[in-house]
Amino acid sequence: VAAGLPAAASWADEGLRAEVLGRFPAAEAHQGVAVDRQHVYAIGSRSIGKYDKQSGRKLAAWESDDEQPLEHLNSGFVLEGKLYCAHSNYPHQPATSSVEIWDTATLEHVGNHSFGIYEGSCTWAVFREGAWWVALAHYNDKSNPADTNNRKTSLVKFDRKWRRLAGWVFPDELMARLSPYSTSGGVWSPEGQLHITGHDAPTLFVLQVPQAGSTLVPVAEIHGSTPGQGIAWDYDEGHVVYGINRKQHAVVKMRVPELSEQGAGAR
């Protein structure tokens, strides 16, 4: 399952930057965002707003209730007319997780896949080449800085029926930079490079699947992106990524550099 790219020894920081193209207010923009051809879905812990991509006009909304008592939604991903959102019981222990599903036309909740108690808190789930790629996060204990639990965060690959196929961990250097939190968002570029965000840093960290071993390989950093949280790649617009600014309750559209086959250096 190698990414087909040569291994990189360390982060290649070449001053790459994201370009902000626009933004609009969205009350739900607290955890993440998802996109399809015409719409943007702003995701809060217990709410989702559907917005027109061009005008930013709000079209529909969903909120958690007693029948659907979801408490901590995270990133979202649109596939075949369905919105899939990572969900967990964070910050409660033991950690439980699920992927929750909505019909994008109506924002009706139509299903879920529950992991129960699994390998961590599900913070993002994206689909690529017939498989789900899911981040299962761990966090450091803020009261005990010596605790390095966030290094247990993993990327797990599942088939369409949620059967586990493979798993990787993130580089120790990256998890130290994300401490005490973990990865909050992740997307694949059209070239097959994994772009992830942390909790609050305005940086996209680019990685690739290793040719050997179990640790994802650093490729590059892209600065000037939205300050962490869930992101979405707009595959209809080339190298355009959507994110959120949770302090401003805004959806942000940005263009990111297209990386060379070696990862470092923009085309």
Side-chain angles (χ1 to χ4, degrees):
V1 288
L5 299 171
S10 61
W11 296 109
D13 185 352
E14 297 189 346
L16 303 176
R17 296 193 64 82
E19 174 191 2
V20 174
L21 302 176
R23 65 179 67 224
F24 63 83
E28 304 85 1
H30 188 72
Q31 295 290 354
V33 65
V35 297
D36 57 24
R37 186 175 295 272
Q38 296 180 318
H39 306 106
V40 175
Y41 304 86
I43 302 165
S45 294
R46 299 176 176 86
S47 62
I48 300 171
K50 178 181 178 180
Y51 292 81
D52 179 78
K53 186 188 285 185
Q54 299 303 318
S55 68
R57 182 168 63 93
K58 191 171 183 176
L59 303 175
W62 175 92
E63 289 190 12
S64 175
D65 56 26
D66 291 340
E67 293 185 6
Q68 299 167 350
L70 303 180
E71 57 184 315
H72 198 275
L73 296 173
N74 290 297
S75 290
F77 186 84
V78 176
L79 176 68
E80 299 170 353
K82 301 291 189 296
L83 170 63
Y84 294 78
C85 286
H87 174 258
S88 72
N89 66 338
Y90 179 84
H92 305 298
Q93 291 292 332
T96 63
S97 295
S98 62
V99 172
E100 303 294 330
I101 310 168
W102 286 261
D103 186 315
T104 56
T106 63
L107 273 194
E108 176 188 2
H109 185 269
V110 294
N112 86 327
H113 172 77
S114 177
F115 295 104
I117 298 173
Y118 194 55
E119 297 182 17
S121 293
C122 181
T123 54
W124 51 267
V126 295
F127 193 82
R128 175 177 178 260
E129 296 183 346
W132 285 102
W133 302 73
V134 179
L136 296 163
H138 290 262
Y139 303 89
N140 288 353
D141 183 349
K142 296 179 186 178
S143 65
N144 180 13
D147 188 354
T148 55
N149 280 344
N150 78 338
R151 294 184 180 183
K152 296 180 182 178
T153 297
S154 62
L155 174 66
V156 179
K157 182 180 179 182
F158 298 89
D159 67 13
R160 277 184 174 264
K161 295 185 177 180
W162 298 104
R163 294 175 294 202
R164 193 184 198 281
L165 300 176
W168 299 267
V169 297
F170 293 85
D172 284 350
E173 176 191 349
L174 173 60
M175 300 317 295
R177 292 175 66 177
L178 299 183
S179 177
Y181 301 107
S182 187
T183 172
S184 294
V187 289
W188 290 98
S189 73
E191 296 76 32
Q193 295 160 328
L194 181 62
H195 293 56
I196 75 154
T197 53
H199 184 268
D200 47 26
T203 304
L204 290 171
F205 299 95
V206 187
L207 306 106
Q208 64 193 39
V209 174
Q211 297 182 9
S214 300
T215 302
L216 296 167
V217 178
V219 173
E221 297 179 31
I222 301 173
H223 303 288
S225 67
T226 53
Q229 302 305 311
I231 53 176
W233 200 289
D234 191 339
Y235 296 102
D236 294 316
E237 294 198 50
H239 278 70
V240 169
V241 173
Y242 282 79
I244 64 167
N245 187 313
R246 68 191 307 178
K247 290 184 178 180
Q248 299 175 359
H249 290 283
V251 169
V252 182
K253 178 181 179 180
M254 53 194 164
R255 179 178 288 112
V256 298
E258 180 181 353
L259 303 182
S260 69
E261 292 183 358
Q262 288 74 31
R267 296 186 205 172

